[in-house]
Amino acid sequence: MANRLRLSDLAEQAGVSTATVSRVLNGKAEVAEDTRQAVLRALDLLGYERPEKLKERSGGLIGLIVPELTNPIFPQFVQHLSTAMLQQGYTPLLGTQFAAGSTEDSLVEAILNQGVTGLIFVSGLHADLNADTARYQALVDKGIPFVTINGRNKQISAPDFSTDDRDAITQSMRHLIGLGHERIAFTSGPLRFSPARAKYKRYLECLKEMLPGQEPITSETLFTVEGGQAAARAVLDQGATAIICTSDVMALGTIRYAIDQGLRVPEDVSVIGFDDSSVMPFLSPALTTVRQPVPAISSAAVTTLVANIKQTPNQMSSTTFKPELVVRETTAPPRH
Amino acid sequence: MANRLRLSDLAEQAGVSTATVSRVLNGKAEVAEDTRQAVLRALDLLGYERPEKLKERSGGLIGLIVPELTNPIFPQFVQHLSTAMLQQGYTPLLGTQFAAGSTEDSLVEAILNQGVTGLIFVSGLHADLNADTARYQALVDKGIPFVTINGRNKQISAPDFSTDDRDAITQSMRHLIGLGHERIAFTSGPLRFSPARAKYKRYLECLKEMLPGQEPITSETLFTVEGGQAAARAVLDQGATAIICTSDVMALGTIRYAIDQGLRVPEDVSVIGFDDSSVMPFLSPALTTVRQPVPAISSAAVTTLVANIKQTPNQMSSTTFKPELVVRETTAPPRH
């Protein structure tokens, strides 16, 4: 492709006028950011070098610690957090905890060695009520700004941004009770993780408030497909007609177990997930689930961290974000 | 938790003897790597600091460019590539192309600003037959080692590691023809991407070889759920009884469209995906698909890149990796 820059080619590719292209290339301020990006994309796509003055400079690296990438909710957080970082001039440095059998501590160490300006922990040890919080205090002592996502821990002096777990359960319970269910089960990974614990407590409260006299039906397994299968067996044996799963991946295992037992979803058993991760809307049946507000959490987390890095005033402290119940095809009235 | 280190606690957590724990903590060489990692994990989990001499030092940053993270095949590559890098002493620096509307060029630039030692491109512009390859020549000229994944391009002088697209189609066609299908459709995202182009060519060859006289049934849309839905409509209207999709995400859209039309999968229409990304085995019905050998590709790509970074002799040049057809529940003999 030619190296001589033709404004008309760029304008056509970007879908804007040649005058706009010219304004962007000259670094004029009166162009909308979307338009500017479209022109820069067109430049890149057509294989031109960006003019030197338009090159973006990074504010530095931000370490991003996620437990794994197999559960699609974590790539979703990575995508939104990375986007927010890049928009604010920072570059994400990703550490996945179970890569190479590494641990959070070893990852943090490797990442700190790269000279990061701050850290974001998604569903890390901060959320594990059994884990020592000294590791986080050590970061505070070293003056390294960080924020946590999903698992507020009062022993850690850093802002946390989490989905409102109690509200997620309230919404799930109301929906299932509204459909006529009374034997509603709660299945979860280890309750030593604070988001699971919060959901579990709220489930017990909801039972008392909304279905007085009903005994809880619960199973504590793992946040995996296999965990969902095992939990489904346990709670279906106790006569559950609806199952609240505390992750979409567990919901997949639950549905799989039900179908393998010759049960239909939702005719014979209703299933609700939690997360609304990437492919869930496209399953057949599509999963009814509680959507985590990933974009809002990501944006607040990065904005607050960047303010702390820059030591600019920021009033944002730990915040919970309302989730929304997305009713699709895996919930229905119970069979009688 | 206590800061005084108790060997017995560590031994119990790691599932090894106290003698082994002691050998690991003293940095003795005669311990298997798995065992060493287990003890280090136990240290981290119990909240102890690692002894200074055991701290791992990074060989540097390797930039990892992936187009996006919504399609679960990309997080899978990120996970395996990150693992391989960490095992070889490098830290991955992730760039996702569509974050913040950024382009491959702007990401590469941001990542190079962080002083990376090498780059890995997964399904990048190297695979786009319409894109200018000058951007890659510029890296060669600057002496920055890099490798590409999925999309060998003879104009780029760097090793490429790709799934054997031709073999993927051969296996899919044999499977469907073995079941008795004759009206087999091929659906794909844009054919300007070399893996899609290679599959398309092989599909046409297979038709001639295996089903002489059958006209091709094809649809070129996008590598998305919506692309799959649109392609399914097009090829079902032409009387296809089986549909080969060139990505799992397209297969989800294809199944969704079929079910919305009142068709059953696989009784009325068979569907084959490509990738075998994370949740596909757990769908109901579970997806029959062609598995990309992600671990093998990732390992070869990182080992070769690291050899090039260290300028050690490495004979590994561009290589294709055999995929495997995983037959699950979305393929069956055609209805008569």
Side-chain angles (χ1 to χ4, degrees):
Chain A
M1 216 158 281
N3 285 317
R4 204 142 48 87
L5 196 149
R6 286 183 49 190
L7 290 189
S8 55
D9 290 348
L10 280 172
E12 192 186 337
Q13 176 73 36
V16 300
S17 69
T18 52
T20 302
V21 170
S22 168
R23 275 198 296 275
V24 171
L25 295 185
N26 290 308
K28 294 278 167 43
E30 71 267 35
V31 185
E33 182 58 21
D34 280 1
T35 309
R36 201 179 75 89
Q37 290 295 339
V39 173
L40 293 179
R41 258 201 310 280
L43 261 181
D44 295 339
L45 284 171
L46 296 177
Y48 295 119
E49 280 264 327
R50 290 186 177 199
E52 196 61 37
K53 63 183 158 190
L54 297 183
K55 293 193 178 177
E56 286 160 21
R57 291 284 160 242
S58 172
L61 291 173
I62 292 177
L64 174 51
I65 316 278
V66 296
E68 43 111 351
L69 295 172
T70 309
N71 180 335
I73 192 65
F74 295 120
Q76 212 165 318
F77 269 112
V78 170
Q79 181 127 5
H80 281 94
L81 288 164
S82 300
T83 300
M85 289 179 203
L86 290 165
Q87 280 170 339
Q88 304 199 29
Y90 289 80
T91 307
L93 180 59
L94 177 72
T96 53
Q97 217 160 309
F98 299 125
S102 58
T103 61
E104 186 173 304
D105 291 342
S106 60
L107 271 178
V108 167
E109 190 180 301
I111 281 177
L112 290 181
N113 281 340
Q114 301 300 333
V116 297
T117 54
L119 289 164
I120 297 183
F121 294 89
V122 181
S123 300
L125 289 174
H126 61 90
D128 182 345
L129 299 168
N130 288 1
D132 191 358
T133 55
R135 50 172 61 84
Y136 295 103
Q137 189 54 46
L139 294 175
V140 174
D141 295 345
K142 283 180 197 159
I144 297 163
F146 69 96
V147 300
T148 60
I149 288 177
N150 279 344
R152 188 179 176 197
N153 188 323
K154 285 178 185 161
Q155 293 186 277
I156 300 173
S157 35
D160 177 82
F161 303 92
S162 292
T163 297
D164 187 335
D165 294 297
R166 295 175 53 82
D167 192 59
I169 294 300
T170 308
Q171 291 192 48
S172 299
M173 289 292 285
R174 280 204 190 120
H175 173 56
L176 292 171
I177 292 169
L179 289 169
H181 289 276
E182 296 188 343
R183 303 289 291 156
I184 301 171
F186 173 88
T187 64
S188 167
L191 295 178
R192 73 170 194 274
F193 292 105
S194 56
R197 179 77 60 96
K199 291 189 187 83
Y200 176 66
K201 282 190 183 166
R202 183 62 194 146
Y203 163 76
L204 296 179
E205 288 173 11
C206 284
L207 264 192
K208 275 200 189 146
E209 292 168 15
M210 304 176 186
L211 289 171
Q214 283 288 344
E215 287 298 310
I217 308 173
T218 65
S219 180
E220 178 184 356
T221 58
L222 296 171
F223 287 116
T224 59
V225 171
E226 295 75 17
Q229 289 173 318
R233 185 173 54 237
V235 301
L236 286 171
D237 284 352
Q238 297 174 64
T241 62
I243 305 177
I244 296 175
C245 303
T246 49
S247 89
D248 286 349
V249 170
M250 288 188 79
L252 287 181
T254 298
I255 293 170
R256 197 63 234 197
Y257 177 79
I259 287 174
D260 288 348
Q261 298 303 306
L263 299 171
R264 291 162 302 160
V265 178
E267 293 83 352
D268 299 319
V269 57
S270 287
V271 178
I272 295 190
F274 177 81
D275 283 339
D276 196 29
S277 41
S278 68
V279 302
M280 301 305 143
F282 310 112
L283 305 182
S284 315
L287 187 66
T288 295
T289 189
V290 178
R291 177 183 295 159
Q292 289 206 57
V294 176
I297 291 177
S298 300
S299 167
V302 172
T303 302
T304 305
L305 178 63
V306 167
N308 290 347
I309 290 170
K310 293 183 171 168
Q311 300 184 298
T312 53
N314 180 285
Q315 304 296 324
M316 200 77 176
S317 60
S318 296
T319 312
T320 57
F321 292 74
K322 290 284 173 203
E324 54 186 349
L325 176 70
V326 187
V327 178
R328 296 197 185 102
E329 299 169 352
T330 57
T331 46
R335 198 163 35 97
H336 282 293
Chain B
M1 216 159 283
N3 285 317
R4 204 141 48 87
L5 194 149
R6 286 181 51 189
L7 289 188
S8 55
D9 291 347
L10 279 173
E12 192 187 335
Q13 175 74 36
V16 300
S17 70
T18 51
T20 302
V21 170
S22 167
R23 276 199 294 277
V24 172
L25 296 185
N26 290 308
K28 294 278 165 42
E30 71 266 34
V31 186
E33 181 58 21
D34 280 0
T35 310
R36 202 180 74 88
Q37 289 294 340
V39 173
L40 294 180
R41 255 199 311 280
L43 262 182
D44 295 338
L45 284 171
L46 296 176
Y48 296 119
E49 280 264 327
R50 291 186 174 197
E52 195 61 38
K53 64 183 157 192
L54 296 183
K55 295 193 177 176
E56 287 161 19
R57 292 283 159 243
S58 171
L61 292 173
I62 292 177
L64 174 51
I65 315 279
V66 297
E68 45 110 352
L69 294 171
T70 308
N71 181 336
I73 191 65
F74 295 119
Q76 211 166 319
F77 268 111
V78 170
Q79 181 127 4
H80 282 94
L81 288 164
S82 299
T83 300
M85 289 179 201
L86 289 165
Q87 280 171 340
Q88 305 200 30
Y90 289 80
T91 307
L93 181 59
L94 177 72
T96 53
Q97 217 161 311
F98 299 126
S102 57
T103 61
E104 186 173 307
D105 292 341
S106 59
L107 271 178
V108 167
E109 191 181 298
I111 281 177
L112 289 179
N113 281 340
Q114 301 299 333
V116 299
T117 55
L119 289 164
I120 297 184
F121 294 88
V122 181
S123 301
L125 288 175
H126 61 91
D128 182 344
L129 298 167
N130 288 1
D132 190 359
T133 56
R135 50 172 60 84
Y136 295 101
Q137 190 53 46
L139 293 174
V140 174
D141 295 345
K142 283 181 197 159
I144 297 162
F146 68 97
V147 301
T148 60
I149 288 178
N150 279 344
R152 188 179 176 198
N153 188 324
K154 284 177 186 162
Q155 293 186 279
I156 299 174
S157 37
D160 177 82
F161 304 93
S162 292
T163 297
D164 187 335
D165 294 297
R166 294 176 52 82
D167 193 58
I169 293 300
T170 309
Q171 292 191 49
S172 299
M173 289 292 284
R174 281 206 189 117
H175 173 57
L176 292 171
I177 292 168
L179 289 169
H181 289 276
E182 297 188 343
R183 303 288 292 157
I184 302 172
F186 173 89
T187 64
S188 167
L191 295 178
R192 73 170 194 272
F193 292 105
S194 56
R197 179 77 61 99
K199 292 189 186 84
Y200 175 67
K201 281 191 184 165
R202 183 61 194 146
Y203 163 77
L204 296 179
E205 288 172 14
C206 283
L207 264 192
K208 274 198 189 148
E209 292 168 15
M210 304 177 187
L211 289 171
Q214 283 288 346
E215 287 298 310
I217 309 174
T218 65
S219 179
E220 178 186 356
T221 57
L222 296 171
F223 287 116
T224 59
V225 171
E226 294 74 18
Q229 288 173 319
R233 183 174 52 235
V235 300
L236 286 171
D237 284 352
Q238 295 173 66
T241 63
I243 305 176
I244 296 176
C245 303
T246 49
S247 90
D248 285 350
V249 170
M250 287 189 79
L252 288 180
T254 298
I255 293 171
R256 196 64 234 198
Y257 177 80
I259 287 174
D260 287 348
Q261 299 302 306
L263 299 172
R264 290 162 305 160
V265 177
E267 293 84 351
D268 299 319
V269 57
S270 287
V271 177
I272 295 190
F274 177 82
D275 283 338
D276 197 28
S277 43
S278 66
V279 303
M280 301 304 145
F282 310 112
L283 304 182
S284 313
L287 187 68
T288 295
T289 188
V290 178
R291 178 182 294 158
Q292 289 206 57
V294 176
I297 291 176
S298 300
S299 168
V302 172
T303 303
T304 305
L305 179 62
V306 167
N308 290 348
I309 289 170
K310 293 182 172 168
Q311 299 184 301
T312 54
N314 179 287
Q315 304 296 325
M316 201 77 177
S317 59
S318 296
T319 312
T320 57
F321 293 74
K322 290 284 173 201
E324 54 185 351
L325 176 70
V326 187
V327 178
R328 298 198 184 101
E329 301 169 351
T330 56
T331 46
R335 200 161 35 97
H336 283 296

